[in-house]
Every structure is written in C-alpha cells, then in structure tokens.
Amino acid sequence: MIVFIWAEDLAGNIGNKGKLQWHLPADLKHFKKLTENHTIVMGRKTFDSFPGLLKNRHHVILTTDAEFTNYYKDNDQITIFNSLTDLRKWLLNEQKTIYIIGGFSLFDALKDIPDRLEQTIIQNRFKADTKMAIIDYNRYKLINREDFCKDTKNKYNYSFLTYVRL
C-alpha cells in the first residue's frame, strides 16, 4: 500500500525555503504514529530538512547527487534511488505499506499511485514558496476526518483527513 502523508495550510502550501512554516506538535505525533516501523520515501531536499535519520523508519531517498549516494551507500537505514523510473518500479512491486512524505516534485511525479492519503490541514495561511501537488480527489473517498482546536501546545486549529482510493 502506498500512502501520501503531508500537512498543508488553507492555501495548499506545504513549505517555505525547504521548511515547514508551522510548528504543530500534534501533527508531528500523528506523523510518527503512522510512519513508525514503516518505510518513508522522500526527495533529497526533504531529507536534508530533517535534523537526522528518523528513528524506527527505513528511509528511501530519490537523488541524482553522486556524492550523497556515495556517503550513504553503506547505511542500512537508507536506500537510494537515482531515477524516478527505478523508484516507481520498486514502489509498485513492494507489498508493505510505504509512506511518501515529499517534497512537491515527488508528490507530483507519483500522484497517480497512492492507495491512501493522510492529509493534515492547518487552519491558517502562511507565507510559502511550495504548494502541494494537485491531487484528483474524485479518485478517493474520505473515510475519516478529525478536527481539533488550538491549545497550549498547538497554536492553530487543524484537521486530520484520511482518504482511500475508490
């Protein structure tokens, strides 16, 4: 099963200068709960935005950067693909749940293959330079929506939505 997982604001923004524009602990906890003990797939720039390897997850990274590939070639927590074609072929043959976590280019290139969507909507608008890829929601059914109000730890209202392919 291939799952897209991301957070966006009310305008569909997902990033600014390679970073999230908000800090929402509840979303980070939700992301961890869903992706822990699974494989996460991302582009190199998304990987670079992390403070390091995410615990209890196998990282699959798409990059054409030979230096990056060489640096991580012996790390068993990372698998690197140097072409989108090879990554797509691998994804379509995998039997386990795999989470695609970004960025835009990867979401856009693979938008025809997810079986499930895990979307967080932050009930605010932020300055951004990156929007989420356009998803054809007519191909999916909303099966769960949870709405939350801001609190002492989370300074924005937010919603978790789960869609499955029809």
Side-chain angles (χ1 to χ4, degrees):
M1 173 179 294
I2 298 169
V3 182
F4 273 16
I5 185 168
W6 78 98
E8 67 180 57
D9 73 2
L10 291 172
N13 295 315
I14 62 171
N16 192 41
K17 297 179 181 165
K19 299 195 183 308
L20 293 177
Q21 312 91 294
W22 52 79
H23 178 69
L24 198 68
D27 183 51
L28 297 174
K29 185 176 178 182
H30 181 68
F31 176 86
K32 181 179 180 181
K33 177 182 147 197
L34 291 175
T35 64
E36 198 163 38
N37 299 312
H38 290 286
T39 297
I40 53 176
V41 178
M42 68 206 86
R44 186 197 44 81
K45 290 179 186 174
T46 298
F47 178 77
D48 287 346
S49 73
F50 293 163
L53 293 171
L54 300 181
K55 189 176 171 187
N56 299 322
R57 279 158 273 207
H58 185 78
H59 300 63
V60 172
I61 302 161
L62 177 64
T63 184
T64 57
D65 184 326
E67 203 172 300
F68 182 93
T69 301
N70 190 47
Y71 183 80
Y72 285 105
K73 72 178 189 253
D74 296 323
N75 187 318
D76 62 0
Q77 198 178 347
I78 295 179
T79 300
I80 295 175
F81 285 92
N82 299 123
S83 83
L84 182 60
T85 302
D86 290 343
L87 174 61
R88 178 184 282 271
K89 191 183 303 181
W90 175 79
L91 285 167
L92 294 174
N93 286 314
E94 277 298 307
Q95 298 300 310
K96 51 191 171 179
T97 301
I98 298 171
Y99 288 86
I100 312 263
I101 67 170
F104 167 82
S105 296
L106 201 55
F107 284 134
D108 194 50
L110 299 174
K111 65 185 173 189
D112 61 316
I113 65 172
D115 302 297
R116 192 171 86 220
L117 308 173
E118 294 289 348
Q119 177 187 39
T120 299
I121 299 177
I122 314 299
Q123 304 296 329
N124 203 340
R125 292 177 191 270
F126 299 87
K127 180 182 177 186
D129 59 14
T130 308
K131 288 194 175 291
M132 179 56 182
I134 295 172
I135 303 281
D136 181 2
Y137 287 97
N138 292 322
R139 298 174 69 189
Y140 296 90
K141 177 182 178 182
L142 179 65
I143 61 165
N144 191 48
R145 179 184 179 118
E146 297 176 85
D147 298 309
F148 301 91
C149 293
K150 62 184 174 182
D151 57 32
T152 56
K153 292 182 181 176
N154 301 280
K155 68 186 233 181
Y156 309 103
N157 296 336
Y158 59 97
S159 304
F160 296 145
L161 293 84
T162 301
Y163 296 85
V164 293
R165 183 186 289 278
L166 294 172

